[in-house]
Structure formats: C-alpha cells, structure tokens
Amino acid sequence: MTSVTGRTGAPGQVKEVTSLANPVIKTIRSLARKKHRDEAGVFVAEGLKLIVEARDLGWTIETLVIAKSAVGSPLIDSSAAQTVAAGGLVLQVSGKVLEAISRRDNPQNAIAVIRQKHTALSSVTAQPTDLWIALDRVRDPGNLGTIIRTADATGARGLILVGECTDPFAIETVRATMGSVFAVPVVKTTTEAFLAWRKGWPGQVVGTHLEGSVDYRTVDYANGPVLLLMGNEQQGLSDALAAACTTLARIPQAGRADSLNLAVAAGVMMFEARRHALTIGDA
Ligand SMILES: C[S@@+](CC[C@H](N)C(=O)[O-])C[C@H]1O[C@@H](n2cnc3c(N)ncnc32)[C@H](O)[C@@H]1O
C-alpha cells in the first residue's frame, strides 16, 4: 500500500493533486475500509475544527488534504504550515478529489489522515468519582459516535468496547463524535478479557436491561467508581455480561416502544450517573 505519511523525520511537503488516480489519493480513499485503516494504523477526520482539536490534543496529523480554493484562508494556511513543520504531507486538491475522499457532495474543505491511538484495558484505572461506559457489541457507527460525544459531555473517563463492535475510527463514527473521539479514551477488548478484568473493578457495575428490576433513578451513582454496561442494539446485554453486573437498571417507559435507541438510553444513563457532578457552570 502506498504510504499516506509525509513523516520522514525531515520537514514535510506540499503537493498539488488533481487526479483521482494519484496513488496517495487512492490510498486515502481505501481508508473507508476497516481492513485498510487497521493495516495502515490511521483514519480519516473531516473539517478544520476537528483537525485543530486533534492536533491540540496530541494526535498526529500525517496528511492534510485541503481544497485549493481554500488556500489563503488564515486558518487553513496555519494548519497546513503546522502539518509541514511536524513532518506531515499537505495535499492541495480539487473539489472533485475532496468529494471522492469524503464520499459526499459539499465536502469539508479540509480532511486529515490521523494516526490511530489505542488504550489498553490494563491501563484503565478507577478513582472513586469515575464513570466508565462499556458497550456490548455496539454495531451502529452513529450510535457509537453519539455515545463517545455524550461521554465527553458528561465527563465520563472513557469507553470500553466489548466483543465485535463497530470501529471507533470509521468515518461515520468520527463524524458523529464531533471531535470527542480525540478527547475520550476508547478501549477494545473481548468478552472473556472484559469479564476477567471486571473481577478487579473496585466499584459498582450498573447494567441496563429491559428486564432490570431497579429504577435507574434510584441507583446511588455517587458511590463510585461506576461502570455502566449497555447492551447490543438487537440482542441487548448478553447473559454473561448481565451476570457480571451488581445492578440491572431499567429506564421506565410509557407508550408502545419496547425499548429506547441505544445512544438515547446511554445518554439518559450517563447524565443520571453524573448528575451529582455536573452543574450549569461546567458548560
Ligand atoms: C435497543 S436496546 C436493545 C433491545 C433488545 N431487543 C433487548 O431485548 O434488550 C439497546 C440497549 O439500550 C439499553 N436500553 C434501551 N432501552 C432501555 C430501557 N428502557 N431501560 C434500560 N436499558 C435500556 C439497554 O442497554 C439495551 O441493551
């Protein structure tokens, strides 16, 4: 695979590209597939705001693709200069090339290829005030991105993806996080490894379950640390994970819907679990 990195140890370069047949553009487009993201250890984020946030939070921008029409805008130019100074590659491209990379009409005028970062389960530690979220086989990138964004907004410490989950570095997930993917640590693990690790968890494990007998509003979340466990969109929490919980909580519902959307349920739970810690002055 052609490298998308401009990182040579020497200052990077600026190149102009107009053809979709350019090998670097082809490689960036191939990052739409998880297999290629994993092989290259990078992913794509769109929009200057996200790119600035990523850099500020210590993520490495390997390649910055900018619209030729945006060259001259102070923010674009300074981001390009910082990328080059850090040894990255800057590509000035046509609107057609940006559309092809983002697979959207009206793409953002900056797209970055960013090096992935991974957090190991063994590095997760818990202070008494901490909230962590674990998701059992989450499948939908929009749900995962929304949950990462809400975890960030509620001050949760991080997310643990248990079993076969959608990729936190998929372009749809990154879009839905609105930049929170750069602020919230995400751990990937197997069910077996999670269950073994959970034995050392020093606080409550609150599972959310449609058959839970405890009203989610009656749990004492201030008695932390709290690990919140949410189930798969179709199948809910597996029996093995449900058995690993100290409490199975339910959000009472009216009407005909048999359950809430996973990201909505996670949002309700996270805000309740952090209610004692959040004040209007935090925003
Ligand atoms: C769409 S629901 C799964 C529905 C699935 N058919 C089931 O039987 O669990 C996805 C996840 O959101 C959470 N959830 C949704 N509605 C909930 C509710 N009313 N109370 C507690 N958890 C809920 C649970 O963690 C659930 O596993």
Side-chain angles (χ1 to χ4, degrees):
M1 182 184 285
T2 303
S3 170
V4 288
T5 176
R7 205 143 290 286
T8 57
Q13 304 171 41
V14 181
K15 289 183 179 160
E16 199 172 313
V17 177
T18 50
S19 166
L20 291 178
N22 177 286
V24 180
I25 299 298
K26 278 186 163 172
T27 301
I28 296 175
R29 293 189 70 199
S30 78
L31 298 175
R33 292 188 57 198
K34 181 175 187 302
K35 172 176 179 280
H36 292 147
R37 288 194 294 276
D38 288 350
E39 276 169 13
V42 294
F43 65 105
V44 169
E46 305 158 294
L48 197 58
K49 181 175 174 291
L50 258 68
I51 295 166
V52 168
E53 226 156 283
R55 199 192 316 270
D56 286 352
L57 290 170
W59 293 65
T60 303
I61 314 292
E62 303 238 322
T63 303
L64 179 67
V65 185
I66 52 177
K68 250 192 313 188
S69 57
V71 173
S73 136
L75 286 177
I76 290 275
D77 288 359
S78 89
S79 198
Q82 286 179 61
T83 304
V84 170
L89 175 66
V90 174
L91 301 177
Q92 297 180 357
V93 305
S94 60
K96 186 185 69 177
V97 172
L98 274 173
E99 271 176 23
I101 294 174
S102 72
R103 292 163 205 268
R104 277 183 153 189
D105 296 336
N106 302 318
Q108 303 262 6
N109 57 16
I111 292 179
V113 176
I114 300 177
R115 182 131 297 275
Q116 295 185 9
K117 280 198 219 177
H118 298 274
T119 303
L121 187 59
S122 57
S123 73
V124 173
T125 53
Q127 301 304 314
T129 53
D130 285 351
L131 171 68
W132 278 82
I133 323 298
L135 303 178
D136 177 18
R137 297 162 296 152
V138 56
R139 301 320 293 244
D140 182 85
N143 277 345
L144 177 56
T146 304
I147 293 170
I148 292 173
R149 183 178 177 186
T150 311
D152 186 17
T154 54
R157 286 293 311 280
L159 244 78
I160 303 172
L161 303 181
V162 183
E164 275 298 308
C165 289
T166 192
D167 183 11
F169 296 123
I171 197 159
E172 301 84 358
T173 312
V174 174
R175 257 179 213 147
T177 72
M178 296 291 286
S180 293
V181 70
F182 302 118
V184 177
V186 178
V187 175
K188 290 200 262 183
T189 189
T190 62
T191 303
E192 296 69 31
F194 175 80
L195 288 171
W197 171 86
R198 180 264 171 270
K199 292 192 179 121
W201 178 258
Q204 302 186 68
V205 181
V206 180
T208 52
H209 204 290
L210 301 186
E211 283 163 25
S213 56
V214 175
D215 184 320
Y216 80 109
R217 295 166 294 190
T218 64
V219 176
D220 179 11
Y221 301 96
N223 176 22
V226 175
L227 177 61
L228 201 57
L229 198 42
M230 309 291 307
N232 165 270
E233 289 95 335
Q234 270 79 45
Q235 289 146 33
L237 265 188
S238 71
D239 290 346
L241 291 182
C245 295
T246 49
T247 306
L248 286 181
R250 183 154 48 101
I251 305 167
Q253 293 181 207
R256 291 175 57 84
D258 59 7
S259 66
L260 296 169
N261 161 274
L262 167 62
V264 171
V268 169
M269 293 301 298
M270 282 188 258
F271 272 97
E272 184 65 19
R274 294 283 299 157
R275 188 153 69 103
H276 62 281
L278 294 170
T279 67
I280 204 76
D282 292 343

